[in-house]
Amino acid sequence: MKCSLFLLFISLTFSSVLARGGLSGSATTRLLLEENHSQNSNSVDKAKGYMSNYDLEQAVKQFGRRCSNISRIYSNVIKILHYANGVLDWMISIGKSVNGFPLWVMEISDKPGVEEPEPAFKFIGNVHGDEPVGREITLLLANWICDNHMKDPLAKLIVENVHLHILPSLNPDGFALKRRGNANNIDLNRDFPDQFFPMNNDENARQPETRAIMNWLREIHFTASATLHGGALVANYPWDGTQDQRRNYYGCPDDETFKFLASSYSHSHHNMSLSKEFHEGIINGAFWYPIYGGMQDWNYIHGGCLELTLEISDDKWPNANELPTIWEYNKISMLNLVASVVKNGVHGRIFSSDSGRPIPGSITIKGINYTVKAGRAFADYYRLLAPGKKYEVIASVPGYRSKSTIIWLEEATTLDFILDPEETLEGNLLRSICDCSGGVTTKLVWGYYMEICFVLVIIAFLCFLLKRRTIFTLGKPRQSSKRSVMI
Ligand SMILES: *[C@@H]1O[C@H](CO)[C@@H](O)[C@H](O)[C@H]1NC(C)=O
Ligand SMILES: *[C@@H]1O[C@H](CO)[C@@H](O)[C@H](O)[C@H]1NC(C)=O
Ligand SMILES: *[C@@H]1O[C@H](CO)[C@@H](O)[C@H](O)[C@H]1NC(C)=O
Ligand SMILES: *[C@@H]1O[C@H](CO)[C@@H](O)[C@H](O)[C@H]1NC(C)=O
Ligand SMILES: [Zn+2]
């Protein structure tokens, strides 16, 4: 069952790779683009003091070497099976910009790359090429955590309890060109599928950077995230769009949660909350100006991830000597936001009362139309919520009787659920399906899954051949007599 799904995925991938004419860009084009960066006389001043894309790559790798025991470096790569000229091979098809620059990610955790019953958080910088502050301060953040996780309680808490993933630049090509869009001049923050308008629904028309993010979220289950932008000083929260395209306050089901997260950010920032333009330094996206195809709303709807859009500098491209100050202004806010996935809300695990095993299900809150899924391996869930309120938390898993508990939430509350199986035929059936797809299976990389499936398919094929041969051999004596007659 699982295999056939993956085979379907493989065949779908074939067609898309072939239709799009394979890979774009190469290391050489990327270097050429880079080299001209400092030669462009007009913009020398602007980029001065900022890392070039090449510098950024080196900085990420250097961070990985320096902090190897609490980090892992990966370029957001998904392996896919590709068939060309009679050769079937693994290739890397996404996780790079249009011009072939790898989208490097730093993961910070005491067990990087290992799945644990812990929440994941992500920071993404430089979504817009001409807003480069995020790519600089995310590296400062990573290095600061590296230097301080033994002494600073917040850094220690993050390293020990969170998997923090940092993508400093989603749009390296736009940065090299010093413009908002990517190399195809597409605004990546308008390129996601939209809840109201079907403009971006063609998967193949989507930019590689966008697809990289979408695939990344299929691989890693993030609890919350933030993207870093420039041009204002405000914490923006969903929804970003409205159905009628008018500029209106349009809150999502988690409006209270988001207002809490955004306010926490603005209040621990140097002066974001003192804004004259934005009350308390926060704003509902649709009330500010509606956008469609944004990353933030897509994360909340499809990624199960509560995302903020942080505008952290009035000047989109400030002088590089202001970067250390901007970092200082945002430091505590950034750390607090990451830590909020363990310090706020309700979290726990879901178990089966008969086997005692974790059962991946979902958590809902009465009165909030939003479902948070538990992790597949550990059935751990993280439900961010605004504190100071009463909530009814409901755990449900197909084939089990749902349970609910009322809590008064202040600080983070741990709430484990032990669910009883539903003793009906339907319940048994549902449970057996759930056990296959969840249980002890750890979250494997797509590639792994497919490798396994591929091997299984080959084994099945060999079995099939062997069986046929056995039938032939068994059938031979009888056939031989027939044959001799025929000949
Ligand atoms: C970089 O500049 C060189 C000459 O200065 C030019 O020949 C080359 O085409 C430029 N490359 C790109 C990618 O713009
Ligand atoms: C990382 O390495 C340092 C020194 O090399 C060590 O003191 C520290 O305990 C390590 N941290 C983790 C989380 O393993
Ligand atoms: C925040 O502080 C910076 C630097 O002092 C200043 O330029 C900016 O105008 C201030 N913003 C607000 C909203 O107070
Ligand atoms: C809950 O949200 C879904 C979309 O996620 C929507 O289709 C449904 O109508 C909503 N239900 C209520 C009761 O608002
Ligand atoms: Zn922006």
Side-chain angles (χ1 to χ4, degrees):
M1 165 72 172
K2 222 194 258 175
C3 260
S4 57
L5 277 180
F6 283 103
L7 284 175
L8 180 67
F9 173 73
I10 290 171
S11 53
L12 286 175
T13 330
F14 276 168
S15 46
S16 71
V17 165
L18 296 175
R20 296 181 66 83
L23 278 176
S24 56
S26 68
T28 3
T29 31
R30 150 159 94 86
L31 282 177
L32 278 176
L33 276 172
E34 272 310 294
E35 277 160 8
N36 287 8
H37 193 163
S38 48
Q39 291 167 13
N40 196 333
S41 57
N42 246 353
S43 9
V44 165
D45 292 335
K46 227 180 170 187
K48 200 170 162 231
Y50 280 85
M51 291 178 283
S52 68
N53 284 334
Y54 178 74
D55 298 336
L56 177 75
E57 185 165 34
Q58 294 310 309
V60 166
K61 288 181 176 167
Q62 202 196 345
F63 164 81
R65 284 191 296 272
R66 197 168 76 81
C67 313
S68 60
N69 69 346
I70 59 147
S71 74
R72 160 177 86 113
I73 301 304
Y74 61 100
S75 89
N76 178 14
V77 154
I78 316 285
K79 279 162 92 190
I80 62 158
L81 208 50
H82 170 72
Y83 182 80
N85 306 327
V87 182
L88 195 58
D89 199 6
W90 292 110
M91 69 186 279
I92 293 156
S93 148
I94 40 179
K96 286 187 176 184
S97 67
V98 173
N99 285 332
F101 212 91
L103 303 175
W104 289 107
V105 178
M106 302 173 278
E107 177 187 352
I108 298 178
S109 154
D110 55 356
K111 294 203 183 68
V114 178
E115 186 163 10
E116 298 184 273
E118 289 183 2
F121 185 99
K122 69 174 151 54
F123 272 120
I124 300 180
N126 201 201
V127 175
H128 290 134
D130 60 347
E131 296 165 16
V133 172
R135 53 191 264 143
E136 297 278 340
I137 72 166
T138 45
L139 261 140
L140 292 171
L141 171 73
N143 281 294
W144 188 88
I145 294 176
C146 175
D147 293 336
N148 292 282
H149 76 279
M150 306 296 285
K151 40 184 193 258
D152 180 88
L154 213 45
K156 186 171 151 66
L157 177 134
I158 290 169
V159 168
E160 288 176 357
N161 303 290
V162 182
H163 285 252
L164 170 60
H165 297 251
I166 301 174
L167 169 58
S169 177
L170 175 61
N171 189 1
D173 301 344
F175 172 79
L177 296 162
K178 297 187 182 61
R179 69 167 184 217
R180 183 178 179 88
N182 69 351
N184 295 328
N185 211 7
I186 300 295
D187 184 337
L188 299 175
N189 202 30
R190 306 288 186 276
D191 197 40
F192 286 81
D194 191 82
Q195 62 173 323
F196 302 122
F197 304 104
M199 63 218 185
N200 297 331
N201 287 358
D202 179 4
E203 178 94 39
N204 285 336
R206 226 165 271 142
Q207 298 304 303
E209 295 89 350
T210 315
R211 272 185 285 142
I213 296 293
M214 293 174 69
N215 281 302
W216 194 20
L217 263 78
R218 285 177 194 129
E219 221 185 304
I220 299 173
H221 180 183
F222 292 102
T223 296
S225 65
T227 54
L228 303 170
H229 290 252
L233 192 65
V234 68
N236 174 102
Y237 58 91
W239 298 119
D240 263 343
T242 50
Q243 183 137 32
D244 60 8
Q245 291 185 276
R246 294 235 191 92
R247 188 182 152 269
N248 277 324
Y249 192 106
Y250 196 43
C252 71
D254 269 297
D255 200 44
E256 292 299 323
T257 319
F258 274 112
K259 277 194 287 201
F260 165 71
L261 292 172
S263 306
S264 309
Y265 196 92
S266 74
H267 284 275
S268 38
H269 184 276
H270 169 69
N271 63 359
M272 191 182 274
S273 65
L274 304 177
S275 169
K276 292 193 183 73
E277 193 182 354
F278 305 100
H279 182 62
E280 301 278 305
I282 67 171
I283 195 155
N284 171 263
F287 183 60
W288 189 10
Y289 59 97
I291 68 159
Y292 299 93
M295 193 196 295
Q296 174 189 272
D297 291 0
W298 186 84
N299 263 264
Y300 180 63
I301 299 169
H302 300 281
C305 172
L306 276 65
E307 178 161 291
L308 294 176
T309 305
L310 302 171
E311 304 278 351
I312 54 169
S313 155
D314 279 322
D315 193 350
K316 283 191 180 202
W317 201 311
N319 196 304
N321 64 20
E322 290 176 37
L323 292 169
T325 313
I326 297 178
W327 155 237
E328 281 304 324
Y329 288 179
N330 285 278
K331 181 165 107 187
I332 302 300
S333 299
M334 291 174 92
L335 294 167
N336 276 342
L337 187 61
V338 179
S340 70
V341 296
V342 281
K343 287 170 83 176
N344 294 106
V346 53
H347 52 238
R349 297 177 64 185
I350 311 171
F351 299 96
S352 158
S353 68
D354 60 351
S355 64
R357 282 185 24 198
I359 37 171
S362 53
I363 295 290
T364 48
I365 305 292
K366 194 174 174 198
I368 303 181
N369 185 14
Y370 190 68
T371 302
V372 165
K373 281 193 186 136
R376 285 163 62 104
F378 298 103
D380 54 327
Y381 71 89
Y382 307 90
R383 188 25 166 132
L384 282 169
L385 289 163
K389 286 194 172 67
K390 200 168 75 173
Y391 294 101
E392 183 173 344
V393 189
I394 305 149
S396 18
V397 180
Y400 291 83
R401 281 206 297 276
S402 297
K403 267 191 190 166
S404 76
T405 306
I406 294 175
I407 56 161
W408 175 265
L409 189 71
E410 281 300 340
E411 307 222 299
T413 301
T414 303
L415 191 59
D416 288 342
F417 286 93
I418 300 171
L419 303 188
D420 301 322
E422 247 169 29
E423 289 312 334
T424 57
L425 188 63
E426 199 194 1
N428 288 331
L429 204 70
L430 281 169
R431 271 203 307 286
S432 61
I433 294 168
C434 279
D435 281 354
C436 297
S437 59
V440 225
T441 340
T442 44
K443 194 196 312 159
L444 293 168
V445 193
W446 279 94
Y448 261 138
Y449 260 136
M450 285 191 287
E451 260 162 49
I452 291 165
C453 285
F454 199 59
V455 169
L456 285 179
V457 169
I458 289 170
I459 290 172
F461 186 63
L462 288 177
C463 288
F464 172 72
L465 283 182
L466 271 172
K467 218 168 152 191
R468 277 181 57 146
R469 280 190 64 152
T470 335
I471 290 167
F472 281 155
T473 12
L474 286 177
K476 247 181 188 157
R478 260 191 274 155
Q479 269 184 359
S480 60
S481 59
K482 261 192 190 169
R483 232 181 233 169
S484 59
V485 174
M486 280 172 79
I487 290 166

